[in-house]
Amino acid sequence: MDASNDAPAPPADRPGTPRPFREAIVDLDAIAANVRTVAARTAPAELVAVVKANAYGHGAVPVARAALAGGATRLGVADLDEALELRAAGLAAPIIAWLHDPFADFRPALAAGIELGVSSLDQLERIADAAARRGAEAARIHLKIDTGLSRNGIAETDWAGVCARAAELERQGTVSVVGVFSHFANTSREADAAQLRAFEHALEVTAAEGLRPPLRHIASSEEALRDPAARYDAVRIGIAMYGLTPFGDGTTSTDLGLVPAMTLRTRVAAVRRVEAGTGASYGHLWRADRATTLALVPLGYADGIPRHATGGGAEVRIGGRLRPIAGRVAMDQFLVDVGDDLVAVGDEVVVFGDPATGAPTADDLAAAAGTIGYEVVTRIGPRVVRSHVGGAGA
Ligand SMILES: *Cc1c(COP(=O)(O)O)cnc(C)c1O
């Protein structure tokens, strides 16, 4: 849901208007700045801004605009419908979509000038057929080689055959091979190196079959930031653009000079003083070890707070201080142990945001729940009102 176009102006601009009960505020200037920060490290490779899954929950259209303003030259999505939504919103930049319904009709995407990832001979034939039936320009395709992730992508054993067929279709004018790509499994440095060697080999075969694709790309955020040898002609950047870390080794977004773009906040809905020994929330997994105050936060797993964050040491910011989640995260709410501090109904609660403001990050919440920041921001639920700030001129 994108509240920026049809909803009233952000509450900050309208004194006296209560903010939405639960809100996710996305700072488009942070998106643009993160793109600039990454691009400064990965240039001259061009930067493909990955805005699949509603821009990891941040709002695909405004994020795509901000990313292009920050220097991205292409947009990447999984589904054709995601690509068509961007086109319909007036985004004219090249867009690549790489995960296709087996029964997809490729003609609307071709008519919209969407570039298509190709992961099998069958997809190649169906795309060429759709282009031939349209009788207009050639379909712009990126052939995907499986170098070790074992998801989609053309198997190494089939690669030469598919390249030969693509070269034939290129001569017939139904397809134009603009890219060859792959995706890392993020398993280990050694496994990444093996995938790079497999990619190099695939590129040699591609050339031997007579194809000269200008865009070779394999790296997403992690390898793009870590390994210059993985950058080739383009890098596909998702998580780093949102200001979260791609690394699982403890490297934080702050270490990388990135700014988390999304802030999730709400208001304290109730406050209760409890005696030592009092149990709270389902199953009484938490019990007061002293007299203390509990603040009720009206966000739960329906809103994207992982239930697995229960007992994981997650903290939220209330009244300028970080305070621990107490007990089970429920569907609509969780409790926070605020000790003897004065916390009132209506006080702001920041569940995650920019650490420069003293907030925990989505990566912190993810770590407490045994998951990754990607999942936390992508799963923010429909009750949370999303709004955008910044991005002037984007
Ligand atoms: C999601 C995705 C990316 C972006 O990955 P990040 O780790 O978020 O940078 C890049 N390439 C492909 C094929 C993807 O599916």
Side-chain angles (χ1 to χ4, degrees), residues 83-257:
L84 291 171
E85 182 199 333
L86 295 169
R87 269 291 180 271
L91 286 149
I95 303 173
I96 169 174
W98 54 66
L99 185 61
H100 309 306
D101 179 338
F103 304 109
D105 175 2
F106 289 104
R107 282 173 298 178
L110 295 177
I114 307 301
E115 298 179 357
L116 301 168
V118 170
S119 279
S120 68
L121 182 61
D122 178 62
Q123 277 179 4
L124 176 64
E125 298 293 1
R126 296 185 57 238
I127 290 167
D129 186 56
R133 277 186 289 136
R134 274 191 78 237
E137 71 285 353
R140 294 170 63 80
I141 63 170
H142 298 242
L143 295 175
K144 185 170 188 185
I145 172 83
D146 176 23
T147 54
L149 184 57
S150 307
R151 292 196 318 201
N152 61 9
I154 295 155
E156 284 184 29
T157 45
D158 298 336
W159 185 249
V162 174
C163 286
R165 178 65 178 144
E168 189 178 23
L169 292 166
E170 203 170 62
R171 285 191 295 274
Q172 291 170 10
T174 50
V175 307
S176 167
V177 181
V178 295
V180 167
F181 75 118
S182 191
H183 195 48
F184 284 109
N186 305 129
T187 304
S188 65
R189 302 283 173 101
E190 295 69 34
D192 281 2
Q195 283 195 254
L196 267 186
R197 285 195 297 278
F199 192 56
E200 278 296 322
H201 179 67
L203 292 171
E204 286 164 20
V205 173
T206 309
E209 297 298 338
L211 294 169
R212 296 284 179 279
L215 227 55
R216 301 161 299 165
H217 49 113
I218 182 168
S220 55
S221 295
E222 178 174 342
E223 296 78 9
L225 288 169
R226 191 179 61 212
D227 184 3
R231 292 172 192 156
Y232 290 92
D233 307 306
V235 293
R236 302 185 306 268
I237 303 298
I239 201 69
M241 168 171 71
Y242 303 103
L244 301 177
T245 184
F247 295 102
D249 65 359
T251 305
T252 66
S253 54
T254 305
D255 297 336
L256 297 167

Side-chain angles (χ1 to χ4, degrees), residues 277-295:
T278 307
S281 195
Y282 293 126
H284 284 184
L285 299 180
W286 179 93
R287 249 175 221 288
D289 56 6
R290 67 206 189 293
T292 190
T293 300
L294 294 174

Side-chain angles (χ1 to χ4, degrees), residues 303-382:
D303 308 300
I305 308 299
R307 186 167 178 271
H308 278 85
T310 303
E315 295 178 315
V316 301
R317 198 183 61 152
I318 304 178
R321 287 182 54 180
L322 293 177
R323 319 192 187 240
I325 293 181
R328 187 58 97 195
V329 173
M331 186 183 293
D332 315 303
Q333 48 198 291
F334 62 83
L335 291 161
V336 174
D337 181 356
V338 299
D340 294 330
D341 292 346
L342 264 182
V343 168
V345 168
D347 283 1
E348 182 186 68
V349 183
V350 179
V351 177
F352 59 77
D354 177 358
T357 67
T361 63
D363 289 325
D364 294 331
L365 178 58
T371 183
I372 52 178
Y374 296 69
E375 185 177 8
V376 167
V377 289
T378 304
R379 297 184 75 173
I380 296 301

Side-chain angles (χ1 to χ4, degrees), residues 13-54:
D13 300 332
R14 303 176 62 202
T17 305
R19 292 171 178 164
F21 192 25
R22 309 175 175 95
E23 64 178 335
I25 303 154
V26 175
D27 182 351
L28 297 173
D29 293 335
I31 298 277
N34 292 331
V35 169
R36 279 191 288 272
T37 300
V38 173
R41 287 175 65 170
T42 58
E46 76 162 83
L47 194 147
V48 181
V50 179
V51 294
K52 63 189 178 187
N54 196 27

